[in-house]
Amino acid sequence: MKIQEIKISQEVLALKAEMIGLRRHFHQYPELGNKEVKTGKYIAGYLKKLGLDVKENIAKTGVIGLLKGNYAGKTILYRADMDALEIDEKNNVEYKSKHTGIVHMCGHDAHMAIALITAKLFSAQKNKLRGNIKFVFQPSEELIPGGAKAMIEEGVMKNPKVGGALGLHVWQDLAVGKVGIKPGPLFASIDLVSLRVIGKGGHGAMPQYTVDPIMISAHIITSLQALITREIDPLQSSVLTFGQIHAGTACNIIPEESFLQGSLRCFNPEIRKYAAKRITEISKGIADAFDGRCEVDIARGHPTVNNDPEFTSIVLQAARETVPNDNISNDCNNMGSEDMAYFLNKAPGCLFLLGTSNKEKGLTSKHHSPRFNIDEDALPIGAEIVRKTILKFLNLQ
Ligand SMILES: [Zn+2]
Ligand SMILES: [Zn+2]
């Protein structure tokens, strides 16, 4: 990708250095979900200085900055998320995280930087702005149930009523200069599956006197994978992953219990419902068959991210005016999940993906890896597409 093929306005380019500085500031001082106290304060301070109408501590640490245009019109919500992850950073960069064991390894630092710079850009032009821009900085995207749902419950979609919702996620599967824009489903729904298998403990040499919860758990895991591959239409994507299994204390003791936790991800809400029902039936049925018991808890997480076709076509237009057409991919749906889904269920909108990897610079580590890092040249590209989308949506251009 040649950088001269990218068309970024002078007003965005003039703020590139500040945007990178903001991203590096957030990178150095990361905070975990629902604990983004200093991050929220910093954002609120920045937005107040710009003259926005700022509300703090929404859904714990969330911040809303409302920019009212001089002319009455629609309201667009632009979302950034604020939380970092519990990971030890392995990057040797001058702006390395100063909080041991916590770091922005999903790029939310970049999301906040782009959003603040967008607020700065538009606040300088509020005299000619038609409509309103609601800058939303949500807590806790990485946790279930996530901050988006809580902010909606506290009224973020009202006063003024939101007519469209926009968000972006930096994306390492796409090289810098590329973007992923897709109408319809983009990210899958997620549910948290917790299983407690209760058996009867005893001596490892005398299993006849016990009910072995580890052996039962092994059967449950295998059978639940068969549920995904044998009962669900292969054309309907779904995945079940157990990321935790805990049981036992020694090689010769059969424990009383085992605990398993996993995530179920689907695109189709009917399949989501069906899979949850069958996970419960199969787990309980297998435990019962072996004379044990299984307690099942399935906590509903984020719904599917569904991009509105009409709103997405505005983002696509904005992207086409910024990067070459070949750099825009619509083959970017995946089984990850994002709580932007809640905003998109309340207003037509779009979450798009901003390419941030760069092989030549060695920036290829994926999200949530301890070596994740982005090419900061992507930041003005993101800001430019956001700027153009907002202007188009508010009918200024
Ligand atoms: Zn993440
Ligand atoms: Zn993320």
Side-chain angles (χ1 to χ4, degrees):
M1 189 267 310
K2 293 187 194 91
I3 210 82
Q4 60 265 35
E5 290 170 23
I6 310 272
K7 294 188 206 94
I8 300 173
S9 61
Q10 278 311 316
E11 52 185 324
V12 169
L13 285 177
L15 294 169
K16 180 179 175 182
E18 184 184 350
M19 187 154 41
I20 291 173
L22 284 166
R23 184 247 160 177
R24 292 183 178 190
H25 167 82
F26 291 125
H27 193 88
Q28 286 180 80
Y29 303 100
E31 293 174 298
L32 293 175
N34 291 322
K35 293 176 185 158
E36 308 92 335
V37 177
K38 286 185 179 154
T39 308
K41 275 216 166 71
Y42 186 94
I43 288 167
Y46 190 98
L47 296 175
K48 279 179 194 166
K49 256 195 218 156
L50 296 176
L52 270 67
D53 180 359
V54 177
K55 283 191 192 132
E56 291 173 75
N57 306 320
I58 310 291
K60 293 193 181 119
T61 59
V63 181
I64 302 172
L66 179 66
L67 180 67
K68 286 186 188 150
N70 213 13
Y71 303 98
K74 295 186 281 187
T75 299
I76 186 167
L77 177 154
Y78 173 37
R79 192 283 311 241
D81 38 12
M82 306 193 291
D83 54 328
L85 292 155
E86 223 169 330
I87 300 172
D88 236 337
E89 177 163 28
K90 296 270 190 287
N91 293 318
N92 277 321
V93 287
E94 61 192 23
Y95 51 91
K96 190 172 175 160
S97 166
K98 290 187 194 294
H99 295 169
T100 313
I102 303 177
V103 64
H104 277 289
M105 289 286 123
C106 200
H108 300 182
D109 47 356
H111 301 169
M112 291 184 276
I114 294 172
L116 288 181
I117 288 301
T118 307
K120 188 168 194 173
L121 271 172
F122 279 107
S123 65
Q125 312 166 4
K126 82 186 237 197
N127 286 345
K128 51 178 184 172
L129 186 69
R130 182 177 306 282
N132 311 305
I133 311 169
K134 205 178 260 192
F135 293 93
V136 170
F137 295 82
Q138 71 152 87
S140 187
E141 191 285 319
E142 299 282 359
L143 305 176
I144 290 174
K149 188 169 180 267
M151 287 192 91
I152 290 168
E153 283 161 4
E154 293 193 23
V156 72
M157 305 307 283
K158 295 182 248 167
N159 300 323
K161 188 177 182 305
V162 171
L166 175 67
L168 69 80
H169 206 300
V170 298
W171 207 241
Q172 291 292 89
D173 282 354
L174 292 169
V176 63
K178 297 191 172 180
V179 286
I181 302 171
K182 184 190 170 295
L186 179 73
F187 285 94
S189 64
I190 181 167
D191 298 310
L192 186 67
V193 179
S194 304
L195 306 179
R196 186 171 297 283
V197 179
I198 300 136
K200 189 175 157 212
H203 202 294
M206 295 163 223
Q208 68 273 28
Y209 301 127
T210 74
V211 174
D212 183 352
I214 294 181
M215 183 276 298
I216 296 173
S217 300
H219 278 276
I220 290 175
I221 292 170
T222 316
S223 303
L224 292 182
Q225 291 309 321
L227 157 69
I228 301 296
T229 64
R230 302 292 84 183
E231 287 191 35
I232 291 173
D233 180 350
L235 294 177
Q236 298 282 352
S237 308
S238 56
V239 60
L240 175 67
T241 295
F242 280 98
Q244 281 199 66
I245 171 161
H246 301 285
T249 51
C251 71
N252 57 354
I253 302 167
I254 291 170
E256 286 273 308
E257 293 189 2
S258 79
F259 177 74
L260 295 82
Q261 197 167 58
S263 54
L264 168 70
R265 296 163 192 268
C266 310
F267 273 113
N268 181 324
E270 288 303 313
I271 295 219
R272 182 185 190 191
K273 214 162 111 192
Y274 175 81
K277 177 175 156 278
R278 290 293 289 145
I279 286 170
T280 307
E281 288 169 359
I282 292 169
S283 306
K284 283 180 182 283
I286 287 172
D288 190 47
F290 287 112
D291 229 5
R293 207 154 52 78
C294 181
E295 292 170 1
V296 181
D297 178 54
I298 302 179
R300 277 174 81 83
H302 316 333
T304 310
V305 167
N306 241 322
N307 284 334
D308 175 70
E310 208 174 308
F311 192 101
T312 304
S313 70
I314 302 175
V315 182
L316 191 59
Q317 192 55 41
R320 282 188 180 137
E321 291 171 16
T322 309
V323 299
N325 216 12
D326 290 353
N327 287 18
I328 305 170
S329 160
N330 68 359
D331 181 21
C332 52
N333 52 332
N334 68 87
M335 299 306 290
S337 64
E338 239 283 357
D339 75 345
M340 176 82 194
Y342 290 104
F343 295 121
L344 297 174
N345 277 353
K346 295 285 174 195
C350 177
L351 177 71
F352 74 95
L353 305 175
L354 176 69
T356 42
S357 63
N358 190 329
K359 255 191 206 154
E360 282 149 37
K361 294 184 186 171
L363 302 169
T364 53
S365 292
K366 301 292 187 195
H367 295 257
H368 295 203
S369 131
R371 289 176 190 82
F372 169 91
N373 199 7
I374 60 164
D375 186 338
E376 290 167 328
D377 281 342
L379 300 182
I381 301 172
E384 182 66 8
I385 296 172
V386 166
R387 185 186 77 84
K388 285 175 179 155
T389 303
I390 291 175
L391 281 176
K392 282 177 195 298
F393 181 78
L394 297 178
N395 285 327
L396 255 185
Q397 192 172 287

